[in-house]
Amino acid sequence: MEYRRYFGQAIDRLRDERRYRVFADLERDASRFPVATWRPNGMSDEASGARDVVIWCSNDYLAMGQHPDVIAAMTQAAQRHGAGAGGTRNISGTTHPLVRLEAELADLHGKQAALAFTSGWVSNLAAISTIAQILPNCLIISDALNHNSMIEGVRRSGAEKTVFKHNDMEHLEQVLKAAGRERAKLIVFESLYSMDGDIAPVARIADLAERYGAMTYVDEVHAVGMYGPRGGGICEREGVMDRIDVIEGTLAKGFGTLGGYIAADDVIIDAVRSYAPSFIFTTALPPSVAAAAHAAVCLLKNSNAEREMHQRQVARTKAALEAQNIPVMPNPSHIVPVFVGDAELCKTASDMLLERHSIYIQPINYPTVARGSERLRITPTPAHTDAHIDALVEAMSDVWHRLGLPRQTPRTANAQGQYKAVAAE
């Protein structure tokens, strides 16, 4: 059997559907972020055609990955402890920087304990599946627009599931009422949905969970570091952290490093630590990464300057784009999604921005968002200056004019999530 043929056919299908993704060869410079070096023609400096571009789609929302204190913490820990973790925590023990990090994360969310994973995807997979397996006859009640990692956690659990309409509290209550108060129930949802930028009614979800005897599990990956007086996320901002059973977050976005985590009562953390295969059999975060993440968490607990500057630049970016009739999909968060509505045009717009204007914005197509709702997803940071924003708006206006792209967002693909994303990133 010629196995290669099947892999080639699979790739051809992606190309035919205009969903094949190409990685840009970008070299970030911590001293010049958001400027990076783009090498369109490969690795050789002589033949690469390398030039500077401005990154407008990084999830390093607060530019903490470039912060000198975070970089110093990482390098010092690597020099002291070495490059790797040495193995899983069950085999090699737990490095002290990881112990300090988990204590800091537990404090951030007002919980008894926290547990760090190698990524936010793994933390959702491990925690949701393990919690639901431990609860007897558990019903998982999942928001329709939950992230792929949450969906995979639900699948792996083997538990019965019901999907409620996105952010629809009437539908959620119907599901809870039908399940009955005595049955074990786990509501899994996100606080901030990263493709539309809309925010969950976290207090109302907590109310319903208490009324009908359900556990709550919230994914705060796009909100930790970003919202709340100490960067605890939307639940901290809304004053409901103590009413949410499990808070999951990432270290790779607002905190600018790598890894994921959950924070909860110590018995929940101990159960996940003891039963989740994807935790037990995975090598731990290196001490250098844990130290860098610890520094970022501590910095953002004690400073609002980064959040305030970030919100200023987000508001200015949205207003400047809207003034030029660029169709920003409205939402109350820091996400700036710009509607295109066609996969091929979305890729063409991204290519044109990069090649003509030295601006890098990755196209967002199916399955990350539904077909017909393709978009460019812009993420301003505190490091983006007013001059960067002006250049972005000028470039977007040129591309929109040349390609004849829509100037309005259809109501069926707005920020209220009227479609089902398959696997939001």
Side-chain angles (χ1 to χ4, degrees), residues 121-130 133 140 142 146-159 161 188 278 422-423:
W121 196 94
V122 173
S123 58
N124 270 333
L125 175 73
I128 292 172
S129 61
T130 303
Q133 286 169 352
I140 299 178
S142 178
N146 275 343
H147 187 266
N148 169 267
S149 59
M150 304 177 80
I151 294 169
E152 292 300 323
V154 172
R155 287 174 178 163
R156 185 176 178 83
S157 74
K161 71 170 182 182
V188 295
S278 46
V422 176

PDB file of all heavy atoms in Angstrom, residues 121-130 133 140 142 146-159 161 188 278 422-423:
ATOM      1  N   TRP A 121      -4.150  23.818  26.637  1.00  0.00           N
ATOM      2  CA  TRP A 121      -4.890  22.740  25.978  1.00  0.00           C
ATOM      3  C   TRP A 121      -4.852  21.481  26.844  1.00  0.00           C
ATOM      4  O   TRP A 121      -5.880  20.840  27.073  1.00  0.00           O
ATOM      5  CB  TRP A 121      -4.274  22.465  24.605  1.00  0.00           C
ATOM      6  CG  TRP A 121      -5.151  21.672  23.682  1.00  0.00           C
ATOM      7  CD1 TRP A 121      -6.015  22.145  22.734  1.00  0.00           C
ATOM      8  CD2 TRP A 121      -5.238  20.242  23.608  1.00  0.00           C
ATOM      9  NE1 TRP A 121      -6.634  21.104  22.083  1.00  0.00           N
ATOM     10  CE2 TRP A 121      -6.171  19.919  22.598  1.00  0.00           C
ATOM     11  CE3 TRP A 121      -4.609  19.199  24.295  1.00  0.00           C
ATOM     12  CZ2 TRP A 121      -6.503  18.618  22.252  1.00  0.00           C
ATOM     13  CZ3 TRP A 121      -4.944  17.887  23.963  1.00  0.00           C
ATOM     14  CH2 TRP A 121      -5.875  17.610  22.952  1.00  0.00           C
ATOM     15  N   VAL A 122      -3.685  21.165  27.363  1.00  0.00           N
ATOM     16  CA  VAL A 122      -3.547  19.967  28.196  1.00  0.00           C
ATOM     17  C   VAL A 122      -4.294  20.136  29.515  1.00  0.00           C
ATOM     18  O   VAL A 122      -4.927  19.191  30.004  1.00  0.00           O
ATOM     19  CB  VAL A 122      -2.060  19.643  28.442  1.00  0.00           C
ATOM     20  CG1 VAL A 122      -1.908  18.504  29.443  1.00  0.00           C
ATOM     21  CG2 VAL A 122      -1.373  19.276  27.140  1.00  0.00           C
ATOM     22  N   SER A 123      -4.246  21.318  30.106  1.00  0.00           N
ATOM     23  CA  SER A 123      -4.928  21.509  31.389  1.00  0.00           C
ATOM     24  C   SER A 123      -6.433  21.326  31.246  1.00  0.00           C
ATOM     25  O   SER A 123      -7.082  20.727  32.118  1.00  0.00           O
ATOM     26  CB  SER A 123      -4.597  22.876  31.995  1.00  0.00           C
ATOM     27  OG  SER A 123      -4.943  23.927  31.133  1.00  0.00           O
ATOM     28  N   ASN A 124      -7.023  21.812  30.141  1.00  0.00           N
ATOM     29  CA  ASN A 124      -8.452  21.592  29.924  1.00  0.00           C
ATOM     30  C   ASN A 124      -8.756  20.122  29.678  1.00  0.00           C
ATOM     31  O   ASN A 124      -9.710  19.566  30.243  1.00  0.00           O
ATOM     32  CB  ASN A 124      -8.939  22.428  28.732  1.00  0.00           C
ATOM     33  CG  ASN A 124      -9.406  23.809  29.141  1.00  0.00           C
ATOM     34  OD1 ASN A 124      -9.849  24.029  30.270  1.00  0.00           O
ATOM     35  ND2 ASN A 124      -9.335  24.758  28.224  1.00  0.00           N
ATOM     36  N   LEU A 125      -7.973  19.495  28.814  1.00  0.00           N
ATOM     37  CA  LEU A 125      -8.183  18.074  28.531  1.00  0.00           C
ATOM     38  C   LEU A 125      -8.116  17.255  29.813  1.00  0.00           C
ATOM     39  O   LEU A 125      -8.994  16.423  30.091  1.00  0.00           O
ATOM     40  CB  LEU A 125      -7.130  17.585  27.537  1.00  0.00           C
ATOM     41  CG  LEU A 125      -7.134  16.080  27.233  1.00  0.00           C
ATOM     42  CD1 LEU A 125      -8.322  15.712  26.362  1.00  0.00           C
ATOM     43  CD2 LEU A 125      -5.831  15.655  26.570  1.00  0.00           C
ATOM     44  N   ALA A 126      -7.079  17.479  30.611  1.00  0.00           N
ATOM     45  CA  ALA A 126      -6.851  16.686  31.817  1.00  0.00           C
ATOM     46  C   ALA A 126      -7.902  16.950  32.884  1.00  0.00           C
ATOM     47  O   ALA A 126      -8.478  16.014  33.459  1.00  0.00           O
ATOM     48  CB  ALA A 126      -5.460  16.982  32.369  1.00  0.00           C
ATOM     49  N   ALA A 127      -8.155  18.225  33.153  1.00  0.00           N
ATOM     50  CA  ALA A 127      -9.018  18.565  34.281  1.00  0.00           C
ATOM     51  C   ALA A 127     -10.477  18.222  34.018  1.00  0.00           C
ATOM     52  O   ALA A 127     -11.147  17.615  34.865  1.00  0.00           O
ATOM     53  CB  ALA A 127      -8.867  20.047  34.607  1.00  0.00           C
ATOM     54  N   ILE A 128     -10.989  18.612  32.850  1.00  0.00           N
ATOM     55  CA  ILE A 128     -12.406  18.354  32.570  1.00  0.00           C
ATOM     56  C   ILE A 128     -12.676  16.855  32.540  1.00  0.00           C
ATOM     57  O   ILE A 128     -13.644  16.362  33.152  1.00  0.00           O
ATOM     58  CB  ILE A 128     -12.824  19.014  31.244  1.00  0.00           C
ATOM     59  CG1 ILE A 128     -12.799  20.538  31.388  1.00  0.00           C
ATOM     60  CG2 ILE A 128     -14.220  18.556  30.822  1.00  0.00           C
ATOM     61  CD1 ILE A 128     -13.016  21.289  30.083  1.00  0.00           C
ATOM     62  N   SER A 129     -11.835  16.101  31.845  1.00  0.00           N
ATOM     63  CA  SER A 129     -12.068  14.655  31.738  1.00  0.00           C
ATOM     64  C   SER A 129     -11.961  13.976  33.098  1.00  0.00           C
ATOM     65  O   SER A 129     -12.791  13.117  33.437  1.00  0.00           O
ATOM     66  CB  SER A 129     -11.090  14.030  30.745  1.00  0.00           C
ATOM     67  OG  SER A 129      -9.752  14.207  31.159  1.00  0.00           O
ATOM     68  N   THR A 130     -10.982  14.359  33.892  1.00  0.00           N
ATOM     69  CA  THR A 130     -10.777  13.698  35.187  1.00  0.00           C
ATOM     70  C   THR A 130     -11.893  14.031  36.164  1.00  0.00           C
ATOM     71  O   THR A 130     -12.420  13.139  36.853  1.00  0.00           O
ATOM     72  CB  THR A 130      -9.415  14.095  35.778  1.00  0.00           C
ATOM     73  OG1 THR A 130      -8.389  13.752  34.847  1.00  0.00           O
ATOM     74  CG2 THR A 130      -9.169  13.403  37.094  1.00  0.00           C
ATOM     75  N   GLN A 133     -15.030  12.192  35.199  1.00  0.00           N
ATOM     76  CA  GLN A 133     -14.937  10.750  35.448  1.00  0.00           C
ATOM     77  C   GLN A 133     -15.087  10.425  36.924  1.00  0.00           C
ATOM     78  O   GLN A 133     -15.634   9.370  37.285  1.00  0.00           O
ATOM     79  CB  GLN A 133     -13.595  10.232  34.920  1.00  0.00           C
ATOM     80  CG  GLN A 133     -13.521  10.135  33.407  1.00  0.00           C
ATOM     81  CD  GLN A 133     -12.108   9.873  32.897  1.00  0.00           C
ATOM     82  OE1 GLN A 133     -11.149   9.903  33.669  1.00  0.00           O
ATOM     83  NE2 GLN A 133     -11.972   9.635  31.606  1.00  0.00           N
ATOM     84  N   ILE A 140     -22.117  16.690  31.754  1.00  0.00           N
ATOM     85  CA  ILE A 140     -21.359  17.887  31.419  1.00  0.00           C
ATOM     86  C   ILE A 140     -22.256  18.806  30.588  1.00  0.00           C
ATOM     87  O   ILE A 140     -22.841  18.375  29.586  1.00  0.00           O
ATOM     88  CB  ILE A 140     -20.082  17.547  30.636  1.00  0.00           C
ATOM     89  CG1 ILE A 140     -19.162  16.654  31.470  1.00  0.00           C
ATOM     90  CG2 ILE A 140     -19.348  18.821  30.229  1.00  0.00           C
ATOM     91  CD1 ILE A 140     -17.883  16.240  30.742  1.00  0.00           C
ATOM     92  N   SER A 142     -22.092  22.082  28.404  1.00  0.00           N
ATOM     93  CA  SER A 142     -21.011  22.806  27.744  1.00  0.00           C
ATOM     94  C   SER A 142     -21.549  23.900  26.833  1.00  0.00           C
ATOM     95  O   SER A 142     -22.494  23.670  26.062  1.00  0.00           O
ATOM     96  CB  SER A 142     -20.182  21.810  26.929  1.00  0.00           C
ATOM     97  OG  SER A 142     -19.150  22.437  26.221  1.00  0.00           O
ATOM     98  N   ASN A 146     -17.407  26.600  23.104  1.00  0.00           N
ATOM     99  CA  ASN A 146     -16.219  26.270  23.878  1.00  0.00           C
ATOM    100  C   ASN A 146     -15.050  25.869  22.974  1.00  0.00           C
ATOM    101  O   ASN A 146     -15.227  25.332  21.888  1.00  0.00           O
ATOM    102  CB  ASN A 146     -16.517  25.133  24.849  1.00  0.00           C
ATOM    103  CG  ASN A 146     -17.111  25.627  26.152  1.00  0.00           C
ATOM    104  OD1 ASN A 146     -17.030  26.810  26.469  1.00  0.00           O
ATOM    105  ND2 ASN A 146     -17.729  24.730  26.906  1.00  0.00           N
ATOM    106  N   HIS A 147     -13.862  26.116  23.495  1.00  0.00           N
ATOM    107  CA  HIS A 147     -12.612  25.851  22.787  1.00  0.00           C
ATOM    108  C   HIS A 147     -12.421  24.356  22.536  1.00  0.00           C
ATOM    109  O   HIS A 147     -12.946  23.507  23.266  1.00  0.00           O
ATOM    110  CB  HIS A 147     -11.454  26.391  23.639  1.00  0.00           C
ATOM    111  CG  HIS A 147     -10.123  26.341  22.986  1.00  0.00           C
ATOM    112  ND1 HIS A 147      -9.253  25.290  23.161  1.00  0.00           N
ATOM    113  CD2 HIS A 147      -9.500  27.221  22.168  1.00  0.00           C
ATOM    114  CE1 HIS A 147      -8.146  25.522  22.479  1.00  0.00           C
ATOM    115  NE2 HIS A 147      -8.274  26.679  21.856  1.00  0.00           N
ATOM    116  N   ASN A 148     -11.653  24.047  21.506  1.00  0.00           N
ATOM    117  CA  ASN A 148     -11.370  22.657  21.141  1.00  0.00           C
ATOM    118  C   ASN A 148     -10.831  21.851  22.314  1.00  0.00           C
ATOM    119  O   ASN A 148     -11.186  20.676  22.496  1.00  0.00           O
ATOM    120  CB  ASN A 148     -10.369  22.634  19.979  1.00  0.00           C
ATOM    121  CG  ASN A 148      -9.823  21.249  19.722  1.00  0.00           C
ATOM    122  OD1 ASN A 148      -8.772  20.888  20.254  1.00  0.00           O
ATOM    123  ND2 ASN A 148     -10.530  20.459  18.936  1.00  0.00           N
ATOM    124  N   SER A 149      -9.982  22.434  23.139  1.00  0.00           N
ATOM    125  CA  SER A 149      -9.405  21.707  24.270  1.00  0.00           C
ATOM    126  C   SER A 149     -10.474  21.298  25.280  1.00  0.00           C
ATOM    127  O   SER A 149     -10.390  20.222  25.889  1.00  0.00           O
ATOM    128  CB  SER A 149      -8.341  22.562  24.962  1.00  0.00           C
ATOM    129  OG  SER A 149      -8.887  23.779  25.425  1.00  0.00           O
ATOM    130  N   MET A 150     -11.495  22.137  25.438  1.00  0.00           N
ATOM    131  CA  MET A 150     -12.593  21.805  26.340  1.00  0.00           C
ATOM    132  C   MET A 150     -13.451  20.697  25.729  1.00  0.00           C
ATOM    133  O   MET A 150     -13.877  19.761  26.425  1.00  0.00           O
ATOM    134  CB  MET A 150     -13.421  23.047  26.633  1.00  0.00           C
ATOM    135  CG  MET A 150     -12.612  24.204  27.193  1.00  0.00           C
ATOM    136  SD  MET A 150     -13.583  25.693  27.459  1.00  0.00           S
ATOM    137  CE  MET A 150     -14.372  25.300  29.021  1.00  0.00           C
ATOM    138  N   ILE A 151     -13.690  20.800  24.425  1.00  0.00           N
ATOM    139  CA  ILE A 151     -14.461  19.775  23.734  1.00  0.00           C
ATOM    140  C   ILE A 151     -13.761  18.427  23.846  1.00  0.00           C
ATOM    141  O   ILE A 151     -14.396  17.391  24.104  1.00  0.00           O
ATOM    142  CB  ILE A 151     -14.653  20.170  22.255  1.00  0.00           C
ATOM    143  CG1 ILE A 151     -15.533  21.430  22.155  1.00  0.00           C
ATOM    144  CG2 ILE A 151     -15.274  19.025  21.452  1.00  0.00           C
ATOM    145  CD1 ILE A 151     -15.568  22.043  20.766  1.00  0.00           C
ATOM    146  N   GLU A 152     -12.438  18.417  23.679  1.00  0.00           N
ATOM    147  CA  GLU A 152     -11.687  17.171  23.792  1.00  0.00           C
ATOM    148  C   GLU A 152     -11.724  16.634  25.219  1.00  0.00           C
ATOM    149  O   GLU A 152     -11.753  15.406  25.433  1.00  0.00           O
ATOM    150  CB  GLU A 152     -10.251  17.374  23.328  1.00  0.00           C
ATOM    151  CG  GLU A 152     -10.107  17.647  21.836  1.00  0.00           C
ATOM    152  CD  GLU A 152     -10.647  16.514  20.978  1.00  0.00           C
ATOM    153  OE1 GLU A 152     -10.485  15.335  21.363  1.00  0.00           O
ATOM    154  OE2 GLU A 152     -11.231  16.798  19.917  1.00  0.00           O
ATOM    155  N   GLY A 153     -11.705  17.521  26.212  1.00  0.00           N
ATOM    156  CA  GLY A 153     -11.824  17.078  27.593  1.00  0.00           C
ATOM    157  C   GLY A 153     -13.171  16.432  27.864  1.00  0.00           C
ATOM    158  O   GLY A 153     -13.260  15.408  28.565  1.00  0.00           O
ATOM    159  N   VAL A 154     -14.222  17.014  27.304  1.00  0.00           N
ATOM    160  CA  VAL A 154     -15.563  16.441  27.445  1.00  0.00           C
ATOM    161  C   VAL A 154     -15.607  15.060  26.789  1.00  0.00           C
ATOM    162  O   VAL A 154     -16.113  14.093  27.374  1.00  0.00           O
ATOM    163  CB  VAL A 154     -16.615  17.383  26.822  1.00  0.00           C
ATOM    164  CG1 VAL A 154     -17.984  16.709  26.795  1.00  0.00           C
ATOM    165  CG2 VAL A 154     -16.691  18.696  27.594  1.00  0.00           C
ATOM    166  N   ARG A 155     -15.084  14.955  25.581  1.00  0.00           N
ATOM    167  CA  ARG A 155     -15.087  13.673  24.872  1.00  0.00           C
ATOM    168  C   ARG A 155     -14.323  12.602  25.643  1.00  0.00           C
ATOM    169  O   ARG A 155     -14.774  11.465  25.780  1.00  0.00           O
ATOM    170  CB  ARG A 155     -14.466  13.847  23.489  1.00  0.00           C
ATOM    171  CG  ARG A 155     -15.345  14.591  22.491  1.00  0.00           C
ATOM    172  CD  ARG A 155     -14.587  14.849  21.206  1.00  0.00           C
ATOM    173  NE  ARG A 155     -15.415  15.512  20.204  1.00  0.00           N
ATOM    174  CZ  ARG A 155     -14.954  16.135  19.129  1.00  0.00           C
ATOM    175  NH1 ARG A 155     -13.640  16.171  18.910  1.00  0.00           N
ATOM    176  NH2 ARG A 155     -15.772  16.701  18.280  1.00  0.00           N
ATOM    177  N   ARG A 156     -13.153  12.978  26.133  1.00  0.00           N
ATOM    178  CA  ARG A 156     -12.305  11.994  26.816  1.00  0.00           C
ATOM    179  C   ARG A 156     -12.943  11.502  28.113  1.00  0.00           C
ATOM    180  O   ARG A 156     -12.703  10.367  28.541  1.00  0.00           O
ATOM    181  CB  ARG A 156     -10.937  12.604  27.101  1.00  0.00           C
ATOM    182  CG  ARG A 156      -9.950  11.612  27.706  1.00  0.00           C
ATOM    183  CD  ARG A 156      -8.572  12.223  27.879  1.00  0.00           C
ATOM    184  NE  ARG A 156      -7.663  11.285  28.490  1.00  0.00           N
ATOM    185  CZ  ARG A 156      -6.994  10.329  27.861  1.00  0.00           C
ATOM    186  NH1 ARG A 156      -7.146  10.188  26.555  1.00  0.00           N
ATOM    187  NH2 ARG A 156      -6.190   9.516  28.505  1.00  0.00           N
ATOM    188  N   SER A 157     -13.766  12.325  28.727  1.00  0.00           N
ATOM    189  CA  SER A 157     -14.384  11.933  29.993  1.00  0.00           C
ATOM    190  C   SER A 157     -15.317  10.742  29.836  1.00  0.00           C
ATOM    191  O   SER A 157     -15.494   9.958  30.771  1.00  0.00           O
ATOM    192  CB  SER A 157     -15.167  13.109  30.574  1.00  0.00           C
ATOM    193  OG  SER A 157     -16.383  13.322  29.856  1.00  0.00           O
ATOM    194  N   GLY A 158     -15.939  10.620  28.651  1.00  0.00           N
ATOM    195  CA  GLY A 158     -16.930   9.572  28.453  1.00  0.00           C
ATOM    196  C   GLY A 158     -18.261   9.866  29.107  1.00  0.00           C
ATOM    197  O   GLY A 158     -19.194   9.062  29.042  1.00  0.00           O
ATOM    198  N   ALA A 159     -18.382  11.033  29.730  1.00  0.00           N
ATOM    199  CA  ALA A 159     -19.623  11.399  30.422  1.00  0.00           C
ATOM    200  C   ALA A 159     -20.678  11.866  29.423  1.00  0.00           C
ATOM    201  O   ALA A 159     -20.359  12.294  28.310  1.00  0.00           O
ATOM    202  CB  ALA A 159     -19.349  12.496  31.439  1.00  0.00           C
ATOM    203  N   LYS A 161     -23.137  14.438  27.805  1.00  0.00           N
ATOM    204  CA  LYS A 161     -22.991  15.887  27.660  1.00  0.00           C
ATOM    205  C   LYS A 161     -24.251  16.486  27.053  1.00  0.00           C
ATOM    206  O   LYS A 161     -24.980  15.832  26.314  1.00  0.00           O
ATOM    207  CB  LYS A 161     -21.789  16.236  26.772  1.00  0.00           C
ATOM    208  CG  LYS A 161     -22.016  15.889  25.315  1.00  0.00           C
ATOM    209  CD  LYS A 161     -20.934  16.441  24.409  1.00  0.00           C
ATOM    210  CE  LYS A 161     -21.271  16.086  22.952  1.00  0.00           C
ATOM    211  NZ  LYS A 161     -20.233  16.564  22.020  1.00  0.00           N
ATOM    212  N   VAL A 188     -19.275  23.781  31.949  1.00  0.00           N
ATOM    213  CA  VAL A 188     -17.972  24.212  31.435  1.00  0.00           C
ATOM    214  C   VAL A 188     -18.188  25.323  30.419  1.00  0.00           C
ATOM    215  O   VAL A 188     -18.989  25.198  29.499  1.00  0.00           O
ATOM    216  CB  VAL A 188     -17.173  23.033  30.832  1.00  0.00           C
ATOM    217  CG1 VAL A 188     -16.819  22.030  31.905  1.00  0.00           C
ATOM    218  CG2 VAL A 188     -17.933  22.345  29.716  1.00  0.00           C
ATOM    219  N   SER A 278      -2.691  12.628  31.504  1.00  0.00           N
ATOM    220  CA  SER A 278      -1.949  13.651  30.761  1.00  0.00           C
ATOM    221  C   SER A 278      -1.146  14.562  31.679  1.00  0.00           C
ATOM    222  O   SER A 278      -0.267  15.288  31.201  1.00  0.00           O
ATOM    223  CB  SER A 278      -2.897  14.479  29.886  1.00  0.00           C
ATOM    224  OG  SER A 278      -4.038  14.857  30.604  1.00  0.00           O
ATOM    225  N   VAL A 422     -16.145  25.460  15.363  1.00  0.00           N
ATOM    226  CA  VAL A 422     -15.813  24.056  15.586  1.00  0.00           C
ATOM    227  C   VAL A 422     -14.656  23.905  16.572  1.00  0.00           C
ATOM    228  O   VAL A 422     -14.663  23.049  17.434  1.00  0.00           O
ATOM    229  CB  VAL A 422     -15.462  23.375  14.244  1.00  0.00           C
ATOM    230  CG1 VAL A 422     -15.023  21.937  14.467  1.00  0.00           C
ATOM    231  CG2 VAL A 422     -16.677  23.404  13.325  1.00  0.00           C
ATOM    232  N   ALA A 423     -13.653  24.753  16.442  1.00  0.00           N
ATOM    233  CA  ALA A 423     -12.455  24.593  17.282  1.00  0.00           C
ATOM    234  C   ALA A 423     -11.736  25.911  17.409  1.00  0.00           C
ATOM    235  O   ALA A 423     -10.691  26.116  16.826  1.00  0.00           O
ATOM    236  CB  ALA A 423     -11.544  23.539  16.684  1.00  0.00           C
TER     237      ALA A 423
END
